[in-house]
Amino acid sequence: EVSFQLSLKIELWQDVLGQDMDLWCGYTQRSFWQFYNFDDSSPFRETNYEPELLLNVRTDYSILGLRGRFINVGFNHQSNGQSEPLSRSWNRVVANFGFERGPFCLLLKGWYRIPESRDDDDNPHIEDYLGYGEIWAYYFLKNHRFGLMLRNNCDFHTNRGAVQVEWSFPLLKWVSGYIQYYNGYGESLLDYNHSVNRIGIGFILADWN
């Protein structure tokens, strides 16, 4: 499969009401393309759409040797745009906490799913697979970026989670090589309740400001 992602973030309101906080709008789209499946004309298996609205509070405090740089709260929607029985969607209230220390960055992400009626819920028990949050850690070393994501539903009886390890390294001025390993649940909405084990090799474009 070929997987690619586009992520955008736009600042809508800086210094909201004269305070150290900003309003942001974000959008992420990730597609899974079966490019090598020529027998079926190389179809797109799934595309996940994820718009969100975040209020970002700029902070500066210390905890356990880390500097707390921001707290953001907001609304997140994620869906795959397909019709039943392949439709998947959910809405969340999210809260994220960002920390840093030198070349090390830590992001703690938490969410609460907005309940749906049983008739409207096309992701039954998705929290049992994706839990209520995840941890992202990054380390930067001479234009190399090493990343780790950990997620778990914290249920000792039916424990499910995911781990992602990634490495990006410089190739050209605006392009970096990218290697990723993923194991666990929730890589895509369609497969939220199926465990995936995959390694990917590709490239990532430099951030555009």
Side-chain angles (χ1 to χ4, degrees):
E1 246 181 4
V2 176
S3 173
F4 60 89
Q5 176 177 312
L6 171 67
S7 296
L8 303 171
K9 189 166 67 172
I10 300 173
E11 188 178 44
L12 301 177
W13 187 2
Q14 187 175 15
D15 299 329
V16 176
L17 302 177
Q19 303 299 313
D20 289 334
M21 53 186 181
D22 312 303
L23 185 64
W24 290 82
C25 176
Y27 175 76
T28 294
Q29 179 174 315
R30 188 177 184 193
S31 297
F32 299 86
W33 182 21
Q34 295 185 329
F35 174 75
Y36 302 101
N37 187 359
F38 298 115
D39 291 339
D40 291 330
S41 299
S42 302
F44 278 83
R45 180 173 64 88
E46 183 184 21
T47 296
N48 291 167
Y49 309 91
E50 187 175 358
E52 61 184 355
L53 186 66
L54 297 171
L55 181 65
N56 181 75
V57 181
R58 302 188 298 274
T59 62
D60 190 2
Y61 62 93
S62 297
I63 181 172
L64 300 177
L66 300 171
R67 292 182 64 195
R69 303 302 292 158
F70 67 82
I71 300 172
N72 55 49
V73 295
F75 172 81
N76 177 286
H77 168 81
Q78 190 178 25
S79 62
N80 66 354
Q82 298 197 42
S83 58
E84 295 291 353
L86 301 179
S87 174
R88 301 287 185 271
S89 67
W90 63 330
N91 298 307
R92 293 175 289 174
V93 176
V94 298
N96 308 315
F97 300 81
F99 304 90
E100 67 177 14
R101 181 176 180 177
F104 175 73
C105 296
L106 180 67
L107 178 62
L108 306 180
K109 305 180 69 174
W111 55 75
Y112 168 75
R113 185 188 182 188
I114 299 175
E116 300 180 46
S117 67
R118 180 175 299 180
D119 293 337
D120 295 332
D121 189 358
D122 48 23
N123 312 293
H125 311 296
I126 190 173
E127 300 95 326
D128 294 341
Y129 297 89
L130 271 68
Y132 301 91
E134 58 193 21
I135 300 173
W136 286 85
Y138 294 101
Y139 188 82
F140 298 85
L141 179 64
K142 295 182 178 180
N143 297 321
H144 293 250
R145 187 187 72 175
F146 303 91
L148 172 68
M149 183 278 292
L150 298 173
R151 184 170 61 230
N152 195 276
N153 65 355
C154 297
D155 187 330
F156 296 106
H157 298 290
T158 55
N159 189 257
R160 302 182 181 99
V163 58
Q164 177 174 304
V165 181
E166 59 184 38
W167 170 37
S168 65
F169 48 92
L171 287 179
L172 303 172
K173 182 177 180 180
W174 300 107
V175 180
S176 294
Y178 185 69
I179 298 176
Q180 179 195 91
Y181 172 71
Y182 186 96
N183 182 280
Y185 294 86
E187 188 186 29
S188 71
L189 278 180
L190 192 61
D191 294 331
Y192 78 91
N193 55 356
H194 293 85
S195 183
V196 172
N197 185 30
R198 85 163 73 207
I199 186 169
I201 301 174
F203 64 92
I204 183 170
L205 300 180
D207 290 342
W208 174 65
N209 295 314

